[in-house]
């Protein structure tokens, strides 16, 4: 027979949602503005270009404040981006813009390296297990909030912002190997977070849209090849232009 040992009390942390939010983001939910900018990556000088200051790093996310919006550095992972949106439901945020880079399926007029695009439709191939067998025809679509999206397109006219169809993929390898299949489905650009972002925004009742700059061209100028100085300068100018557009749009 086993002897009864001492009972070990499980500590009662007593943490509420506000406490958890501050640990993860470095700021309280009250510090989050009505407009939020979500960035999977934080390129060099992006904070400067966006006039964002007071960067604070939480357990998972980094947060900075601009005049008219709160910037959240989410990390390059669909789970991290999706969870940011779900957590923002607990804040005063109402409008969220996802900003990052994307890959281009095929170059054409108005769509090249450095071009700015905003998806009006996002096909979801973001299941790592299902992407190998899921038929193209069965892919689910997600969409931005229409009024918010149209406002972004209007603000981006002087930046030659184009609307597009995006595929959120769980495999960069299959993105390349199945390129023609995706193109035939109407896909023009690729990313890895947008489907979850749109899905979480709809679930949370937040207005959402996305702004991308094209940083690579699948097969022709893939992400794994080093950029030459001219191309590097072009992409940096795209980042500058996108940041200027964001500041104008999120007023």
């Amino acid at each position: 027979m086993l002897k009864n040992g001492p009972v070990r009390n499980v500590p009662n942390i007593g943490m509420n949602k506000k406490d958890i939010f501050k640990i993860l983001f470095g700021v309280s939910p009250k510090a989050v503005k009505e407009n939020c900018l979500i960035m999977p990556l934080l390129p060099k000088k992006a904070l400067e270009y966006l006039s964002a200051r007071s960067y604070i790093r939480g357990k998972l996310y980094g947060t900075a404040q601009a005049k008219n919006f709160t910037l959240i550095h989410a990390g390059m992972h669909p789970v991290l981006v999706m969870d940011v949106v779900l957590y923002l439901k607990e804040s005063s945020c109402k409008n969220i813009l996802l900003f990052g880079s994307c890959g281009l399926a095929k170059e054409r007029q108005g769509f090249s390296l450095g071009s700015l695009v905003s998806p009006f439709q996002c096909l979801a191939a973001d299941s790592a297990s299902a992407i190998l067998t899921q038929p193209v025809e069965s892919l689910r679509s997600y969409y931005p909030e229409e009024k918010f999206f149209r406002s972004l397109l209007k603000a981006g006219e002087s930046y030659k912002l184009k609307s597009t169809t995006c595929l959120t993929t769980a495999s960069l390898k299959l993105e390349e190997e199945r390129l023609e299949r995706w193109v035939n489905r109407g896909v023009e650009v690729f990313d890895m977070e947008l489907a979850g972002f749109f899905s979480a925004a709809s679930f949370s009742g937040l207005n959402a849209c996305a702004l991308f700059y094209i940083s690579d061209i699948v097969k022709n100028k893939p992400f794994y090849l080093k950029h030459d100085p001219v191309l590097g300068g072009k992409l940096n100018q795209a980042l500058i232009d996108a940041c200027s557009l964001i500041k104008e749009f999120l007023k």
Side-chain angles (χ1 to χ4, degrees):
M1 180 178 289
L2 295 175
K3 294 183 179 180
N4 292 328
V7 177
R8 296 184 178 181
N9 293 323
V10 178
N12 181 8
I13 300 176
M15 298 176 64
N16 57 35
K17 290 182 178 180
K18 293 180 180 179
D19 296 329
I20 296 171
F21 191 101
K22 188 167 185 178
I23 290 173
L24 296 179
F25 289 83
V27 299
S28 70
K30 290 183 179 180
V32 176
K33 292 181 169 65
E34 184 175 304
N35 297 321
C36 282
L37 177 67
I38 313 301
M39 296 180 64
L41 293 178
L42 195 61
K44 187 177 180 180
K45 291 193 174 182
L47 291 176
E48 177 185 337
Y49 296 154
L50 289 164
S51 302
R53 299 175 177 83
S54 304
Y55 183 85
I56 298 174
R57 186 71 198 178
K59 186 74 174 179
L60 283 181
Y61 307 112
T63 305
Q65 301 291 353
K67 182 178 180 181
N68 298 304
F69 60 89
T70 297
L71 182 155
I72 298 174
H73 175 207
M76 194 174 176
H77 196 287
V79 171
L80 293 174
V81 171
M82 184 174 182
D83 279 354
V84 165
V85 180
L86 296 177
Y87 278 116
L88 286 176
K89 185 180 179 181
E90 303 163 12
S91 73
S92 56
C93 175
K94 293 182 180 179
N95 308 306
I96 47 175
L97 176 65
L98 179 67
F99 171 51
S101 61
C102 66
L104 179 65
K106 289 192 174 182
E107 194 169 16
R108 63 183 178 86
Q109 187 175 3
F111 290 80
S112 187
L113 291 168
S115 298
L116 301 185
V117 297
S118 182
F120 67 87
Q121 179 187 30
C122 178
L123 301 175
D126 53 342
S127 170
S129 56
I131 190 174
L132 291 169
T133 57
Q134 188 177 17
V136 175
E137 296 76 19
S138 69
L139 296 179
R140 187 169 182 177
S141 292
Y142 296 92
Y143 304 91
E145 198 283 322
E146 185 174 359
K147 186 176 179 180
F148 197 45
F149 171 68
R150 295 298 173 190
S151 296
L152 175 60
L153 290 184
K154 182 67 175 178
E157 286 180 351
S158 61
Y159 296 91
K160 299 180 180 179
L161 176 64
K162 300 288 193 303
S163 62
T164 190
T165 299
C166 179
L167 174 81
T168 295
T169 178
S171 171
L172 295 172
K173 188 174 191 298
L174 293 180
E175 171 187 292
E176 187 171 290
E177 291 179 357
R178 299 180 179 180
L179 179 62
E180 292 303 321
R181 185 185 304 183
W182 302 132
V183 170
N184 291 336
R185 182 64 173 81
V187 172
E188 294 179 307
V189 301
F190 299 90
D191 96 307
M192 302 189 77
E193 293 92 15
L194 186 58
F197 173 79
F198 278 162
S199 176
S202 178
F203 176 83
S204 302
L206 301 175
N207 301 320
C209 59
L211 173 65
F212 296 143
Y213 65 93
I214 296 171
S215 60
D216 59 271
I217 303 174
V218 181
K219 288 190 176 181
N220 290 343
K221 293 183 180 179
F223 70 94
Y224 46 80
L225 294 184
K226 187 177 180 180
H227 292 152
D228 59 54
V230 174
L231 178 55
K234 189 174 184 179
L235 294 181
N236 187 62
Q237 185 59 52
L239 175 62
I240 293 172
D241 291 344
C243 289
S244 295
L245 170 55
I246 289 168
K247 288 191 291 184
E248 291 178 20
F249 174 58
L250 293 180
K251 285 184 179 178

